[in-house]
Short mmCIF file of all heavy atoms in Angstrom, two decimals:
data_model
loop_
_atom_site.label_atom_id
_atom_site.label_comp_id
_atom_site.label_asym_id
_atom_site.label_seq_id
_atom_site.Cartn_x
_atom_site.Cartn_y
_atom_site.Cartn_z
N PHE A 407 134.13 98.98 59.77
CA PHE A 407 134.82 98.21 58.73
C PHE A 407 135.32 96.93 59.37
O PHE A 407 135.35 96.80 60.59
CB PHE A 407 135.98 99.02 58.14
CG PHE A 407 137.02 99.43 59.17
CD1 PHE A 407 138.10 98.61 59.48
CD2 PHE A 407 136.90 100.66 59.83
CE1 PHE A 407 139.04 98.99 60.43
CE2 PHE A 407 137.84 101.04 60.78
CZ PHE A 407 138.92 100.21 61.08
N LYS A 408 135.69 95.95 58.55
CA LYS A 408 136.17 94.69 59.07
C LYS A 408 137.44 94.92 59.90
O LYS A 408 138.41 95.52 59.41
CB LYS A 408 136.46 93.72 57.92
CG LYS A 408 136.82 92.32 58.40
CD LYS A 408 136.99 91.35 57.23
CE LYS A 408 137.32 89.96 57.73
NZ LYS A 408 137.49 88.99 56.63
N GLY A 409 137.44 94.47 61.12
CA GLY A 409 138.56 94.68 62.03
C GLY A 409 138.41 95.91 62.90
O GLY A 409 139.26 96.17 63.76
N HIS A 410 137.30 96.66 62.73
CA HIS A 410 137.07 97.88 63.47
C HIS A 410 137.10 97.63 64.99
O HIS A 410 137.86 98.26 65.74
CB HIS A 410 135.72 98.46 63.05
CG HIS A 410 135.30 99.69 63.79
ND1 HIS A 410 134.63 99.65 64.99
CD2 HIS A 410 135.45 101.01 63.49
CE1 HIS A 410 134.38 100.88 65.40
NE2 HIS A 410 134.87 101.73 64.51
N ASP A 411 136.28 96.67 65.45
CA ASP A 411 136.19 96.39 66.88
C ASP A 411 137.48 95.79 67.42
O ASP A 411 137.89 96.07 68.56
CB ASP A 411 135.02 95.45 67.16
CG ASP A 411 133.68 96.11 66.88
OD1 ASP A 411 133.65 97.35 66.70
OD2 ASP A 411 132.66 95.39 66.83
N PHE A 412 138.15 94.98 66.60
CA PHE A 412 139.41 94.37 67.01
C PHE A 412 140.45 95.45 67.32
O PHE A 412 141.16 95.37 68.33
CB PHE A 412 139.91 93.45 65.91
CG PHE A 412 141.22 92.75 66.22
CD1 PHE A 412 141.21 91.52 66.86
CD2 PHE A 412 142.43 93.31 65.86
CE1 PHE A 412 142.41 90.88 67.15
CE2 PHE A 412 143.63 92.67 66.15
CZ PHE A 412 143.62 91.44 66.79
N ILE A 413 140.53 96.45 66.48
CA ILE A 413 141.52 97.53 66.68
C ILE A 413 141.22 98.32 67.94
O ILE A 413 142.13 98.67 68.70
CB ILE A 413 141.57 98.44 65.43
CG1 ILE A 413 142.15 97.68 64.25
CG2 ILE A 413 142.37 99.71 65.71
CD1 ILE A 413 142.09 98.44 62.94
N ILE A 414 139.94 98.59 68.18
CA ILE A 414 139.57 99.35 69.38
C ILE A 414 139.87 98.54 70.63
O ILE A 414 140.45 99.06 71.60
CB ILE A 414 138.07 99.75 69.33
CG1 ILE A 414 137.86 100.79 68.21
CG2 ILE A 414 137.60 100.28 70.67
CD1 ILE A 414 136.43 101.20 68.02
N LYS A 415 139.54 97.26 70.63
CA LYS A 415 139.83 96.42 71.78
C LYS A 415 141.33 96.26 71.99
O LYS A 415 141.79 96.05 73.12
CB LYS A 415 139.17 95.05 71.61
CG LYS A 415 137.66 95.10 71.67
CD LYS A 415 137.05 93.73 71.45
CE LYS A 415 135.53 93.80 71.45
NZ LYS A 415 134.91 92.46 71.22
N GLY A 416 142.08 96.35 70.91
CA GLY A 416 143.53 96.19 70.99
C GLY A 416 144.25 97.37 71.61
O GLY A 416 145.46 97.33 71.80
N SER A 417 143.50 98.43 71.94
CA SER A 417 144.13 99.62 72.53
C SER A 417 144.72 99.33 73.90
O SER A 417 145.60 100.04 74.38
CB SER A 417 143.11 100.75 72.66
OG SER A 417 142.14 100.42 73.65
N GLY A 418 144.21 98.27 74.54
CA GLY A 418 144.65 97.99 75.90
C GLY A 418 143.92 98.82 76.93
O GLY A 418 144.23 98.78 78.12
N ARG A 419 142.93 99.60 76.47
CA ARG A 419 142.14 100.46 77.35
C ARG A 419 140.68 99.95 77.35
O ARG A 419 139.91 100.32 76.46
CB ARG A 419 142.19 101.90 76.87
CG ARG A 419 143.52 102.60 77.08
CD ARG A 419 143.52 103.97 76.38
NE ARG A 419 142.25 104.69 76.55
CZ ARG A 419 141.97 105.49 77.58
NH1 ARG A 419 142.87 105.67 78.54
NH2 ARG A 419 140.80 106.10 77.65
N PRO A 420 140.30 99.11 78.31
CA PRO A 420 138.93 98.60 78.31
C PRO A 420 137.88 99.71 78.41
O PRO A 420 136.74 99.52 77.97
CB PRO A 420 138.88 97.66 79.51
CG PRO A 420 140.05 98.04 80.35
CD PRO A 420 141.08 98.55 79.41
N GLU A 421 138.26 100.86 78.97
CA GLU A 421 137.31 101.97 79.06
C GLU A 421 136.87 102.47 77.69
O GLU A 421 135.86 103.17 77.58
CB GLU A 421 137.88 103.12 79.90
CG GLU A 421 139.26 103.59 79.48
CD GLU A 421 140.38 102.94 80.27
OE1 GLU A 421 140.43 101.69 80.32
OE2 GLU A 421 141.20 103.69 80.83
N ASP A 422 137.60 102.09 76.63
CA ASP A 422 137.21 102.47 75.28
C ASP A 422 136.10 101.58 74.71
O ASP A 422 135.47 101.96 73.72
CB ASP A 422 138.43 102.39 74.33
CG ASP A 422 139.48 103.44 74.65
OD1 ASP A 422 139.13 104.44 75.29
OD2 ASP A 422 140.64 103.25 74.26
N TRP A 423 135.88 100.42 75.33
CA TRP A 423 134.92 99.49 74.72
C TRP A 423 134.18 98.57 75.69
O TRP A 423 133.07 98.13 75.41
CB TRP A 423 135.60 98.61 73.67
CG TRP A 423 136.66 97.70 74.26
CD1 TRP A 423 137.96 98.00 74.51
CD2 TRP A 423 136.49 96.34 74.68
NE1 TRP A 423 138.62 96.93 75.06
CE2 TRP A 423 137.73 95.89 75.17
CE3 TRP A 423 135.40 95.46 74.67
CZ2 TRP A 423 137.94 94.60 75.65
CZ3 TRP A 423 135.59 94.17 75.16
CH2 TRP A 423 136.85 93.76 75.64
N PHE A 424 134.78 98.26 76.84
CA PHE A 424 134.21 97.25 77.73
C PHE A 424 133.25 97.89 78.72
O PHE A 424 133.64 98.78 79.50
CB PHE A 424 135.34 96.54 78.48
CG PHE A 424 134.87 95.42 79.39
CD1 PHE A 424 134.41 94.23 78.87
CD2 PHE A 424 134.88 95.59 80.77
CE1 PHE A 424 133.98 93.20 79.70
CE2 PHE A 424 134.46 94.57 81.60
CZ PHE A 424 134.01 93.37 81.07
N ILE A 425 131.98 97.46 78.72
CA ILE A 425 130.99 97.99 79.66
C ILE A 425 130.50 96.91 80.62
O ILE A 425 129.55 97.13 81.36
CB ILE A 425 129.79 98.62 78.91
CG1 ILE A 425 129.07 97.56 78.07
CG2 ILE A 425 130.23 99.80 78.08
CD1 ILE A 425 127.70 97.97 77.62
N GLY A 426 131.12 95.75 80.60
CA GLY A 426 130.71 94.67 81.49
C GLY A 426 130.25 93.45 80.72
O GLY A 426 130.43 93.34 79.52
N GLN A 427 129.60 92.54 81.44
CA GLN A 427 129.27 91.23 80.89
C GLN A 427 128.00 91.20 80.04
O GLN A 427 127.65 90.16 79.51
CB GLN A 427 129.15 90.23 82.03
CG GLN A 427 130.43 90.05 82.82
CD GLN A 427 131.62 89.66 81.96
OE1 GLN A 427 131.51 88.83 81.06
NE2 GLN A 427 132.77 90.27 82.22
N ALA A 428 127.30 92.32 79.95
CA ALA A 428 126.07 92.33 79.15
C ALA A 428 126.12 93.47 78.14
O ALA A 428 126.52 94.58 78.46
CB ALA A 428 124.85 92.49 80.05
N LEU A 429 125.73 93.18 76.92
CA LEU A 429 125.60 94.18 75.87
C LEU A 429 124.46 93.74 74.96
O LEU A 429 124.61 92.83 74.16
CB LEU A 429 126.90 94.32 75.07
CG LEU A 429 126.84 95.23 73.83
CD1 LEU A 429 126.39 96.63 74.21
CD2 LEU A 429 128.19 95.27 73.14
N VAL A 430 123.29 94.37 75.11
CA VAL A 430 122.11 93.98 74.35
C VAL A 430 121.97 94.91 73.14
O VAL A 430 122.35 94.57 72.03
CB VAL A 430 120.85 93.99 75.23
CG1 VAL A 430 119.64 93.53 74.41
CG2 VAL A 430 121.04 93.09 76.45
N PHE A 431 121.44 96.10 73.35
CA PHE A 431 121.38 97.10 72.28
C PHE A 431 122.67 97.92 72.32
O PHE A 431 122.97 98.54 73.34
CB PHE A 431 120.21 98.06 72.51
CG PHE A 431 118.85 97.51 72.21
CD1 PHE A 431 118.16 96.77 73.17
CD2 PHE A 431 118.24 97.73 70.98
CE1 PHE A 431 116.89 96.27 72.92
CE2 PHE A 431 116.97 97.23 70.71
CZ PHE A 431 116.30 96.50 71.68
N PRO A 432 123.44 97.96 71.23
CA PRO A 432 124.54 98.93 71.17
C PRO A 432 124.00 100.34 71.44
O PRO A 432 122.82 100.62 71.20
CB PRO A 432 125.06 98.78 69.74
CG PRO A 432 124.69 97.39 69.35
CD PRO A 432 123.36 97.13 70.02
N GLU A 433 124.84 101.23 71.91
CA GLU A 433 124.38 102.53 72.38
C GLU A 433 123.58 103.29 71.32
O GLU A 433 122.55 103.91 71.62
CB GLU A 433 125.56 103.36 72.86
CG GLU A 433 126.18 102.79 74.14
CD GLU A 433 127.42 103.55 74.58
OE1 GLU A 433 127.84 104.46 73.84
OE2 GLU A 433 127.94 103.26 75.67
N ASN A 434 124.05 103.26 70.07
CA ASN A 434 123.33 104.00 69.02
C ASN A 434 121.97 103.38 68.74
O ASN A 434 120.99 104.09 68.49
CB ASN A 434 124.18 104.06 67.75
CG ASN A 434 124.48 102.68 67.17
OD1 ASN A 434 124.66 101.72 67.90
ND2 ASN A 434 124.55 102.59 65.85
N GLU A 435 121.88 102.05 68.81
CA GLU A 435 120.60 101.39 68.58
C GLU A 435 119.63 101.63 69.74
O GLU A 435 118.41 101.77 69.52
CB GLU A 435 120.81 99.89 68.38
CG GLU A 435 121.52 99.53 67.08
CD GLU A 435 121.61 98.03 66.88
OE1 GLU A 435 120.72 97.30 67.38
OE2 GLU A 435 122.58 97.58 66.24
N ALA A 436 120.16 101.66 70.95
CA ALA A 436 119.31 101.94 72.12
C ALA A 436 118.68 103.32 71.99
O ALA A 436 117.50 103.51 72.28
CB ALA A 436 120.13 101.85 73.40
N CYS A 437 119.47 104.28 71.56
CA CYS A 437 118.96 105.63 71.36
C CYS A 437 117.96 105.68 70.21
O CYS A 437 116.90 106.30 70.30
CB CYS A 437 120.12 106.59 71.11
SG CYS A 437 119.65 108.33 71.05
N ASP A 438 118.28 104.99 69.14
CA ASP A 438 117.48 105.06 67.91
C ASP A 438 116.08 104.46 68.08
O ASP A 438 115.12 104.94 67.47
CB ASP A 438 118.23 104.32 66.80
CG ASP A 438 117.59 104.54 65.43
OD1 ASP A 438 117.34 105.72 65.09
OD2 ASP A 438 117.35 103.56 64.72
N ILE A 439 115.94 103.44 68.94
CA ILE A 439 114.65 102.77 69.06
C ILE A 439 113.72 103.47 70.05
O ILE A 439 112.53 103.17 70.12
CB ILE A 439 114.86 101.29 69.47
CG1 ILE A 439 113.63 100.45 69.05
CG2 ILE A 439 115.13 101.16 70.97
CD1 ILE A 439 113.84 98.96 69.19
N LEU A 440 114.25 104.45 70.80
CA LEU A 440 113.46 105.15 71.80
C LEU A 440 112.83 106.42 71.23
O LEU A 440 113.39 107.07 70.34
CB LEU A 440 114.33 105.52 73.00
CG LEU A 440 114.80 104.36 73.89
CD1 LEU A 440 115.82 104.86 74.89
CD2 LEU A 440 113.61 103.72 74.61
N LYS A 441 111.69 106.80 71.80
CA LYS A 441 111.11 108.11 71.49
C LYS A 441 112.04 109.20 72.03
O LYS A 441 112.75 108.98 73.03
CB LYS A 441 109.72 108.22 72.15
CG LYS A 441 108.64 107.38 71.49
CD LYS A 441 108.22 107.99 70.15
CE LYS A 441 107.08 107.22 69.49
NZ LYS A 441 105.81 107.33 70.24
N PRO A 442 112.06 110.37 71.40
CA PRO A 442 112.99 111.44 71.82
C PRO A 442 112.96 111.74 73.33
O PRO A 442 114.00 112.01 73.93
CB PRO A 442 112.52 112.64 71.00
CG PRO A 442 111.97 112.02 69.76
CD PRO A 442 111.30 110.75 70.20
#
Side-chain angles (χ1 to χ4, degrees):
F407 58 89
K408 187 176 181 180
H410 177 274
D411 293 348
F412 180 89
I413 291 173
I414 291 177
K415 292 178 183 180
S417 69
R419 288 172 42 87
E421 52 265 53
D422 292 339
W423 64 275
F424 183 73
I425 62 164
Q427 299 304 318
L429 173 57
V430 182
F431 285 85
E433 292 176 355
N434 61 325
E435 292 184 28
C437 187
D438 190 50
I439 203 170
L440 290 171
K441 288 286 183 68

